[in-house]
Amino acid sequence: AIVSREDFEIVQELLKVDTRAKADGTCSHLFSGLLFCGDCREPMYRRVNRYKGVSKVYFICPTRNRGQGCTRHSIPEEELEGIVWKAVDIQLRLLEEKEAVFQREKELCEEKCKKLLPEIKKKKMQAEKKREEIRQLYHQYRQGKMGKAEYLARKKWEGNLAGEMEEELAGMEAEEKGLHQRMKETDADNVALTEWLELKEDKKGFLQCVIDSIDVYVEKAIEIKWKYRDSFTGTLTEKL
């Protein structure tokens, strides 16, 4: 099967994410490859703090942790998950609504095509009839049924009418072609959207496929950039 450029690029991005177990036996976390410091753009570092037998996980800026500048900010993993899943839930509802929009758009295109086809057929017949009338004018002229001046004048007049008909016909055919193309795109978008939604049971895989990056700023401000195509919901950026 032919892989689209968009799908290829998504796969390449996923291959960049290191999901293997680390040397200490821990596995990559839910936000591997997605979480960055919004100020220095370094991947956020996951740190586990243990106190009196209680562990609490934070994400911190590695640049600040190394004493190399940047701002002092961190966010608890549990709090980050709550924010991200709330944002994802909102986007899922938008996407599920978009499925109905795609279906309705396809139905409207089909209805327009059904109305357009008889009009195209009729216009073709009219244009062909007009061209035949112009050919008959020549025969009448050759048979001496009209003079040259009359022939040229009528030929010009009828030719202009035929030209207008053919322009109208070309516009109608272009509209029909555009409707079929839009239906094809809508079907492709709907299939892709269904695939996005089916992934939501695999939390980590789903996040990797729908989120481009999560940027963390001071005071726990979060910016989520999504991977949706413009035909889905446009370029979506949320600041939480």
Side-chain angles (χ1 to χ4, degrees):
I2 298 175
V3 179
S4 69
R5 176 173 290 278
E6 181 182 9
D7 290 338
F8 174 79
E9 289 173 354
I10 289 174
V11 170
Q12 296 309 304
E13 287 300 316
L14 290 174
L15 290 175
K16 293 177 184 177
V17 179
D18 187 359
T19 57
R20 296 170 298 176
K22 296 180 175 62
D24 60 4
T26 61
C27 295
S28 61
H29 54 80
L30 183 65
F31 303 107
S32 293
L34 298 176
L35 195 62
F36 299 89
C37 169
D39 295 316
C40 69
R41 300 302 303 155
E42 284 287 320
M44 296 286 280
Y45 175 72
R46 187 174 185 267
R47 168 176 284 178
V48 180
N49 291 341
R50 294 182 177 86
Y51 180 72
K52 293 184 177 180
V54 179
S55 297
K56 193 162 185 178
V57 182
Y58 289 85
F59 288 100
I60 64 173
C61 171
T63 304
R64 177 73 184 187
N65 190 54
R66 293 192 299 265
Q68 297 175 348
C70 201
T71 53
R72 181 185 295 279
H73 57 280
S74 65
I75 187 168
E77 183 177 52
E78 184 177 356
E79 188 172 338
L80 177 64
E81 284 194 28
I83 292 171
V84 170
W85 287 119
K86 180 181 177 181
V88 167
D89 184 59
I90 292 170
Q91 297 307 317
L92 281 175
R93 287 201 297 271
L94 289 174
L95 290 176
E96 286 165 351
E97 290 173 5
K98 197 68 174 178
E99 280 189 301
V101 172
F102 283 151
Q103 183 58 35
R104 182 54 185 156
E105 185 174 359
K106 183 180 179 182
E107 289 172 357
L108 288 173
C109 287
E110 289 174 343
E111 288 173 11
K112 288 181 180 178
C113 277
K114 286 180 181 179
K115 291 179 180 179
L116 200 55
L117 285 173
E119 294 178 12
I120 289 174
K121 184 178 180 180
K122 181 179 178 181
K123 188 61 67 176
K124 280 183 178 179
M125 292 175 65
Q126 289 175 340
E128 180 56 36
K129 182 179 179 182
K130 185 59 63 178
R131 287 299 177 190
E132 179 59 29
E133 288 175 0
I134 294 172
R135 287 191 288 270
Q136 290 301 320
L137 284 176
Y138 177 73
H139 292 307
Q140 291 173 22
Y141 165 64
R142 294 291 293 174
Q143 293 170 1
K145 294 181 179 180
M146 68 177 72
K148 184 175 182 180
E150 181 185 359
Y151 165 67
L152 292 176
R154 290 185 62 183
K155 179 184 177 183
K156 182 179 180 181
W157 173 261
E158 299 293 348
N160 288 338
L161 291 177
E164 290 174 4
M165 288 181 180
E166 287 169 353
E167 283 183 13
E168 290 176 13
L169 178 60
M172 294 165 70
E173 289 176 333
E175 183 181 357
E176 183 199 16
K177 184 178 179 181
L179 288 170
H180 281 291
Q181 179 62 30
R182 184 59 199 138
M183 283 191 285
K184 184 178 178 181
E185 290 171 355
T186 300
D187 281 338
D189 286 340
N190 204 26
V191 169
L193 180 52
T194 301
E195 290 173 353
W196 286 125
L197 296 174
E198 287 176 350
L199 280 170
K200 62 186 178 183
E201 298 305 321
D202 173 13
K203 290 185 176 181
K204 186 171 182 179
F206 181 68
L207 291 184
Q208 296 288 345
C209 283
V210 300
I211 293 179
D212 184 64
S213 67
I214 303 170
D215 297 338
V216 181
Y217 296 87
V218 293
E219 298 181 356
K220 301 176 184 178
I222 306 295
E223 183 178 21
I224 301 175
K225 296 175 183 175
W226 307 90
K227 284 185 177 177
Y228 306 133
R229 280 187 277 177
D230 288 344
S231 55
F232 285 0
T233 50
T235 303
L236 295 175
T237 300
E238 277 194 33
K239 197 100 175 206
L240 304 172

